[in-house]
Amino acid sequence: MQEDRRLAVLRAIVEDYVATEEPVGSKALVERHHLNVSPATIRNDMAALEDEGYLHQPHTSAGRVPTDKGYRLFVDRLSTVKPTSSAERRAIAGFLEGAVDLDDVVHRSVRLLAQLTRQVAVVQYPTLSRSTVRHIEVVALTPTRLLLVLILSSGRVEQRLVELDADIGDDELGALRSRINLAATGEVIADAAAALDALVRGDEATPAATPPTAAVVETLVEAMSDHRSDERVVVGGTANLARFGDSFETSVRPLLEALEEQVVLLKLLGEATSGGAVTVRIGAEGPYENLASTSVVATGYGPDDALAALGIVGPTRMDYPGTMAAVRAVARYVSRILDES
Amino acid sequence: MQEDRRLAVLRAIVEDYVATEEPVGSKALVERHHLNVSPATIRNDMAALEDEGYLHQPHTSAGRVPTDKGYRLFVDRLSTVKPTSSAERRAIAGFLEGAVDLDDVVHRSVRLLAQLTRQVAVVQYPTLSRSTVRHIEVVALTPTRLLLVLILSSGRVEQRLVELDADIGDDELGALRSRINLAATGEVIADAAAALDALVRGDEATPAATPPTAAVVETLVEAMSDHRSDERVVVGGTANLARFGDSFETSVRPLLEALEEQVVLLKLLGEATSGGAVTVRIGAEGPYENLASTSVVATGYGPDDALAALGIVGPTRMDYPGTMAAVRAVARYVSRILDES
DNA sequence: CCTGGCACTCCGCCGCCGTGAGTGCCAATC
DNA sequence: GATTGGCACTCACGGCGGCGGAGTGCCAGG
């Protein structure tokens, strides 16, 4: 069936181009892959593939290069995700094992991903909005100054100071602490905020809250709805950009600019948080002009893969199977580590 | 006096070269700067400056370029730090004002510095070792599981979990909490660690500590002496590397690699923490091969400028007066903000 | 000590051409 | 109808040579 062979040709071209970084010609193809046909046949196939938009030739009398559409087909139908070798798995586990806190996990993950894929790695901090409240502590630093410590399931800790108008006694403080925890502990952020809000508004059954409670709750709700912390992303492995053989100005510069824009990164990663599978965005598929010549491979991590996302950014000409495997493997290990702690 | 003129020539060459990025010749010099002498005279001066090692000519019949030594002389004796304009000051203040927590201050500072200097900015997190303990909170998550929250004067918050062998009661917990805070609050990290240590060892006057106290103190001391957190540095503005006109491979790549090595960055910044003034490291002055073609402009910030350091990394061909002014200004504002909070 | 003049050097640029990889097309073959 | 070998064609790439111009070093005169 010649349709099958055409796909095999596309696959071979992608593989060779990724390996050699040079346009691949018909002759080289038949030599390197044991397609049992002549170069002329391959040329016909390549011409057809080009008509359909999967290939592109930089100029007449040059070999072919996959287009974004070609890579897309390759990723969707022609590639099998490489299983991670046991050596790799051990490396990942060893690398992440020593992490002591959330910051450390995130930073190690970035380095690890960058190292494994030899690309620029991006890891998003666990989002506030998906976390649940593990515990809220209220500490009186002075009789009028309270320290609020908000501990989340993701391991994140937020703290806030509250100034009171009047002194607060130990009893009142204890009552406040337990009321708040009763309402919020175990809840998803949004629900916790709502519950706390209800607490302070009061209703027929319960009396309106005392001024200290009101002040504390206000601050807590603010901290919870404060999504700045959602916007934190760590980038690593930028040195790998040096391997961008082709033009520095047209590829690397815009990419560096995009990497500085946390908002862009978050949107990219955001697209990947759903579904649980590894997401691949190829070339100009997205609306980001700066990333027109790059691909993003990302996936969610954490419970249900919905806590946050991580991935890599690299040239469209990349080893998709290997990269996808690495991203998936790291995400799994990170999920596991976060689950344990 | 011809010696004065020679220095004026060097200054002019540095300024022109920084502005134009091209070797500067004698004719262009006399035109752009109103040195009231002929090009021939300048040529003689330039030849002399070259003999002394301040200038270098890429090849015969090209203009001159400052050497590292030339930049050094320029920075030490020929440049006056530009006073920051009031507009700039307002921009800085406005940019940093919105910061809510330490993370935010650090990240905003990096962006700000990168923007002001159009270079790669580097900001070190406040070092643990210089901070004092503001408060230690001990929270029982379960009867055998304690959460320790260590709040430092720098705004940093460290938290640790401790598992106990036996249940702990509320009374014991309260006693533990007050003993620990009594010993550590207000002390510099190192002293606090020592005081806690003394607490647990006990002496003739006081009984030896209970097992829970011992466990808690051990964890605290570990957290305090754990200098990983000292090793945190934030980098920004890497997109500015695109302005490196000359060879990408020889300049940008090694620089990107160096930027990934937090250890190197810390050493660089470490040199700047002392003395209070802005420190400049030019080209190959340091032992870092990767940074042979770059300069580092850095200074300390925080009380006594000793809390941590921030600065920028850029090509040796940079606007030193402007950059130094920007670094100094940002450091001052950051110090002030940290002081207030 | 400065200056104008002059010969010299050498980089960067441009156009040229040969080479070779790779193509498209066609007629012959299976 | 698919495959194949043959063939003419195209075009990027690299090396070569010549030239223009910026900039220098040196020298003799002010």
Side-chain angles (χ1 to χ4, degrees), chain B residues 32-51:
Chain B
R32 296 183 39 127
H33 307 259
H34 34 289
L35 315 162
N36 299 314
V37 286
S38 80
T41 310
I42 300 299
R43 281 205 287 279
N44 289 330
D45 292 340
M46 294 202 299
L49 285 167
E50 185 169 4
D51 281 347

Side-chain angles (χ1 to χ4, degrees), chain A residues 238-308:
Chain A
T238 40
N240 290 328
L241 291 178
R243 295 184 311 111
F244 258 81
D246 43 355
S247 55
F248 175 61
E249 266 297 319
T250 55
S251 299
V252 180
R253 186 205 185 98
L255 177 49
L256 279 172
E257 279 171 5
L259 289 175
E260 298 257 321
E261 291 297 332
Q262 307 246 325
V263 189
V264 173
L265 290 180
L266 282 164
K267 279 202 186 144
L268 282 175
L269 289 178
E271 296 166 5
T273 325
S274 56
V278 175
T279 303
V280 181
R281 204 204 106 274
I282 295 169
E285 286 179 358
Y288 316 101
E289 286 181 21
N290 281 349
L291 299 176
S293 58
T294 60
S295 289
V296 177
V297 177
T299 190
Y301 69 86
D304 297 329
D305 291 339
L307 186 59

Side-chain angles (χ1 to χ4, degrees), chain A residues 110-230:
Chain A
V110 174
R111 294 191 71 121
L112 179 62
L113 253 185
Q115 226 167 290
L116 285 177
T117 61
R118 319 229 333 133
Q119 310 282 9
V120 178
V122 181
V123 177
Q124 180 188 8
Y125 267 83
T127 33
L128 213 53
S129 50
R130 310 269 187 175
S131 313
T132 58
V133 175
R134 187 185 281 173
H135 184 76
I136 298 174
E137 187 51 31
V138 185
V139 183
L141 297 179
T142 72
T144 64
R145 202 177 200 196
L146 301 185
L147 175 74
L148 308 180
V149 183
L150 176 62
I151 302 150
L152 303 178
S153 58
S154 59
R156 179 188 289 282
V157 178
E158 298 273 328
Q159 86 281 1
R160 290 287 191 284
L161 281 178
V162 183
E163 300 283 351
L164 299 181
D165 294 330
D167 284 10
I168 187 168
D170 275 356
D171 293 350
E172 196 177 353
L173 189 66
L176 172 58
R177 187 182 294 132
S178 48
R179 284 185 72 193
I180 288 177
N181 273 291
L182 192 63
T185 303
E187 301 291 330
V188 165
I189 289 289
D191 296 346
L196 288 173
D197 224 30
L199 203 66
V200 80
R201 277 202 317 277
D203 53 30
E204 289 94 47
T206 59
T210 58
T213 309
V216 165
V217 164
E218 187 190 348
T219 307
L220 280 174
V221 169
E222 188 190 307
M224 287 174 175
S225 55
D226 192 350
H227 281 231
R228 258 178 320 91
S229 36
D230 278 24

Side-chain angles (χ1 to χ4, degrees), chain A residues 100-101 103, chain B residues 102 106 124-136 149-160 184 186-193 219-233 266 273 301 303 306-309 338:
Chain A
V100 287
D101 60 7
D103 270 356
Chain B
L102 181 65
V106 170
Q124 179 188 8
Y125 266 83
T127 34
L128 213 54
S129 51
R130 311 267 186 178
S131 313
T132 58
V133 174
R134 188 184 279 173
H135 183 77
I136 298 173
V149 183
L150 175 61
I151 301 152
L152 303 178
S153 59
S154 60
R156 181 189 289 282
V157 177
E158 297 274 327
Q159 84 280 2
R160 290 287 190 284
E187 301 290 331
V188 164
I189 289 289
D191 296 346
T219 307
L220 280 174
V221 170
E222 187 190 306
M224 287 174 176
S225 54
D226 191 352
H227 280 232
R228 257 180 321 91
S229 35
D230 279 24
E231 294 174 7
R232 204 144 281 169
V233 173
L266 282 163
T273 324
Y301 69 85
L307 186 59
L338 288 182

Side-chain angles (χ1 to χ4, degrees), chain B residues 122-127 232-233 265-266 268-274 298-302 305-311 331:
Chain B
V122 181
V123 178
Q124 179 188 8
Y125 266 83
T127 34
R232 204 144 281 169
V233 173
L265 290 181
L266 282 163
L268 282 175
L269 289 178
E271 296 166 7
T273 324
S274 57
T299 189
Y301 69 85
D305 292 338
L307 186 59
L310 55 76

